[in-house]
Amino acid sequence: MINVSKLKKGIVLDHITAGHGYRVFRQLGLDKLSDVVVLMTNVDSERMGKKDLIKIETDLPLDFDVLGLLDPGITVSYVENGVCVRKAHLVLPEKVTGILRCKNPRCISQTEDVEPITFHLVDARTKEYACEYCDARTHL
Amino acid sequence: MERKRRLIEPGDLSTGEIFHLLRLANDILADPAKYGERCKGRLLASLFYEPSTRTKFSFDAAMLRLGGQVIGFSDPNTSSAAKGETLADNARVVSCYADVIVVRHPKEGAARHIADYADCPVINAGDGGHQHPTQTLTDLMTIQKHMGRLENLTVGVCGDLKFGRTIHSLVSCLSRFPGMRFVFISPEELQMPAFVKDLLHRNDIPYEETNQLEQAIGSLDILYMTRVQRERFVSEEEYLRLKDYFILTEEKMALAKPDMIVMHPLPRVNEIQRDVDSDPRAVYFDQVKNGMYVRMALILFLLGLDKEA
């Protein structure tokens, strides 16, 4: 059993689907932080069986749209003086801008420098989004 | 800055505005002279990055018959696009000269992109295999004229439903009227895309998919035929395999209701045999004529010239 000391101040990303932790770590750019970041994978969980977990020893502005898109089951806890002062539960965002890329080869976004594209959620079950320009479906 | 009105997809018009445009188009048809000077001093820019005969001529004729003038190109190699100018810059520049822009482009979403940068109204005259909303207005005018209503209709669309921009716009638009039912007739490879079917699901509009025209035709009020478009295929072999999948003949027309109408956005290749042309239920050449009047109405509407002075 590996023990990681309790966080005094920072953010805990809990209930990450097992195996998805590294993806969340990369997407949030945590590899570029100079603060302490701990990524734990395959942690025992009563609710999930196994889960991943990330502890960040700093107060970082998080993009909840990116997090919700990556894994809407994640719980975000803000810790101060070793105590959780705020929790946020994520949802799959209804629209995301500048995160997804359109994969349709016939879309104008493939050849022109378009504004950051907004995608609208069309199927929550499959996490599919539609491109605002061509309506083609895509997912992360 | 206030966003200029645009017509990129049918959803850009309310149902009230659609009926207003159809009334106006019919009024112009009845008395064209009344509108002959309405666009005097106005300029329409016609940017066709993809070949077109009907739509380009229809818009040009519409503006000229309203007393306005037309600038533009029908070959992108003769425009600054050939020098590598972006569509965004093209839109900014052209909207300095013109009062309204009509654009056709092979890429899906191109008209929307141009509208985001133009400082005047933009009309989508076809963006790849995506949408063709002014064809839809033409179709609605034709349906209203021949069927007497825009509700309680069973509409069959047949052919290339995957890349058929006219039917994407038509089905999306018709789905807002009550009592509509759709039959999508296509080979499996050319089925209706998810974004159209999603819309029908969201609005509880019934539809079925089949590859049997003969079995479906008897239940239809409208049969909308489309061409399998060679220009949308990457593989010539695939095009050749699918191009003759559905051919409407007089034998098949004998299975249809006596008051069913046959529509087609044209051009056709061989998906409707010539002997069907003389069938009174074939209304596709009337569709062409309606196109010009409804585009006249749209130009007036987008320029704010649709009301009596």
Side-chain angles (χ1 to χ4, degrees):
Chain A
M1 179 80 171
I2 302 169
N3 283 314
V4 175
S5 62
K6 205 173 170 187
L7 192 66
K8 287 202 175 64
K9 180 176 171 58
I11 302 166
V12 179
L13 305 180
D14 199 358
H15 305 117
I16 303 170
T17 305
H20 288 197
Y22 185 62
R23 193 179 183 195
V24 173
F25 182 89
R26 288 291 304 272
Q27 285 282 341
L28 292 179
L30 301 180
D31 50 334
K32 295 178 184 72
L33 286 182
S34 54
D35 303 279
V36 176
V37 181
V38 178
L39 164 63
M40 300 167 76
T41 61
N42 298 319
V43 178
D44 287 333
S45 162
E46 272 186 32
R47 173 149 64 97
M48 301 169 72
K50 294 280 184 189
K51 67 177 181 181
D52 289 0
L53 187 143
I54 295 172
K55 292 186 175 187
I56 310 163
E57 204 177 55
T58 185
D59 192 4
L60 178 76
L62 292 174
D63 188 332
F64 280 33
D65 280 349
V66 173
L67 270 177
L69 193 61
L70 285 167
D71 192 343
I74 294 174
T75 309
V76 183
S77 302
Y78 290 88
V79 177
E80 281 177 22
N81 300 318
V83 180
C84 175
V85 292
R86 184 160 67 94
K87 265 186 196 260
H89 294 277
L90 301 177
V91 290
L92 206 55
E94 282 298 315
K95 63 176 185 177
V96 291
T97 302
I99 299 168
L100 296 171
R101 276 183 60 81
C102 186
K103 299 182 180 107
N104 174 8
R106 298 178 301 278
C107 179
I108 190 65
S109 65
Q110 303 289 350
T111 50
E112 292 280 325
D113 185 16
V114 300
E115 296 285 327
I117 310 174
T118 297
F119 285 80
H120 298 271
L121 181 65
V122 286
D123 191 332
R125 189 180 53 81
T126 58
K127 292 194 197 173
E128 282 186 308
Y129 285 79
C131 169
E132 65 171 322
Y133 287 98
C134 70
D135 289 305
R137 287 177 167 204
T138 193
H139 49 73
L140 197 64
Chain B
M1 190 177 73
E2 188 193 348
R3 199 172 95 159
K4 298 286 177 189
R5 283 304 302 257
R6 52 172 72 180
L7 180 59
I8 307 303
E9 54 177 319
D12 291 327
L13 294 171
S14 69
T15 304
E17 286 169 339
I18 288 173
F19 280 118
H20 170 62
L21 288 173
L22 297 181
R23 273 193 302 272
L24 185 57
N26 281 308
D27 198 52
I28 298 169
L29 174 64
D31 186 5
K34 194 166 92 183
Y35 297 88
E37 300 276 296
R38 199 64 78 87
C39 279
K40 195 173 178 184
R42 305 295 179 122
L43 206 52
L44 178 145
S46 160
L47 314 182
F48 277 68
Y49 296 86
E50 194 182 57
S52 163
T53 307
R54 263 153 301 279
T55 308
K56 177 160 173 44
F57 283 2
S58 175
F59 269 111
D60 290 359
M63 190 56 169
L64 294 169
R65 283 177 181 273
L66 289 167
Q69 289 179 297
V70 179
I71 54 171
F73 58 83
S74 54
D75 176 0
N77 292 321
T78 62
S79 83
S80 53
K83 297 178 189 168
E85 185 176 52
T86 65
L87 280 184
D89 283 357
N90 209 198
R92 286 187 184 109
V93 169
V94 173
S95 62
C96 290
Y97 310 135
D99 298 293
V100 57
I101 293 175
V102 175
V103 61
R104 169 169 288 190
H105 197 283
K107 288 285 184 181
E108 298 173 11
R112 183 191 173 111
H113 181 54
I114 286 177
D116 286 343
Y117 290 91
D119 194 26
C120 66
V122 172
I123 301 170
N124 180 9
D127 58 335
H130 188 218
Q131 298 271 3
H132 194 349
T134 63
Q135 179 65 46
T136 296
L137 292 174
T138 304
D139 298 340
L140 295 184
M141 188 173 170
T142 308
I143 293 170
Q144 199 181 47
K145 181 173 168 186
H146 290 275
M147 303 302 293
R149 65 187 191 278
L150 288 175
E151 55 190 35
N152 299 319
L153 293 165
T154 298
V155 182
V157 287
C158 177
D160 177 1
L161 310 190
K162 183 179 178 184
F163 299 116
R165 57 191 173 200
T166 57
I167 48 105
H168 300 162
S169 290
L170 179 65
V171 172
S172 303
C173 190
L174 282 176
S175 70
R176 68 174 77 191
F177 299 107
M180 302 305 294
R181 182 177 158 266
F182 296 97
V183 183
F184 300 146
I185 309 155
S186 74
E188 198 178 334
E189 297 88 336
L190 298 176
Q191 282 185 345
M192 190 66 93
F195 81 88
V196 179
K197 291 194 275 191
D198 284 342
L199 181 71
L200 300 182
H201 279 298
R202 279 201 299 276
N203 296 302
D204 283 328
I205 315 273
Y207 72 86
E208 57 187 274
E209 295 182 289
T210 176
N211 59 4
Q212 298 295 320
L213 174 58
E214 292 88 337
Q215 284 176 18
I217 198 169
S219 68
L220 306 177
D221 298 309
I222 297 166
L223 173 61
Y224 199 100
M225 295 294 294
T226 63
R227 171 175 65 101
V228 175
Q229 303 169 86
R230 172 180 252 144
E231 62 272 29
R232 307 279 174 235
F233 282 82
V234 177
S235 155
E236 178 74 2
E237 200 175 90
E238 186 78 346
Y239 165 72
L240 292 173
R241 190 172 66 78
L242 294 170
K243 76 181 178 69
D244 295 332
Y245 205 97
F246 297 110
I247 296 177
L248 184 63
T249 60
E250 267 300 286
E251 290 73 47
K252 287 175 190 160
M253 287 294 286
L255 304 171
K257 290 181 185 174
D259 59 349
M260 183 196 80
I261 58 169
V262 183
M263 300 174 70
H264 191 299
L266 303 178
R268 72 168 155 186
V269 182
N270 62 346
E271 59 277 8
I272 300 178
Q273 277 193 350
R274 299 290 186 266
D275 56 358
V276 178
D277 294 355
S278 55
D279 190 307
R281 294 171 291 181
V283 301
Y284 29 89
F285 291 113
D286 190 41
Q287 251 173 294
V288 179
K289 188 176 165 194
N290 294 334
M292 184 184 70
Y293 293 106
V294 88
R295 288 180 176 109
M296 289 169 81
L298 179 66
I299 291 167
L300 290 175
F301 172 71
L302 290 177
L303 292 177
L305 302 170
D306 49 326
K307 305 284 190 300
E308 293 277 357

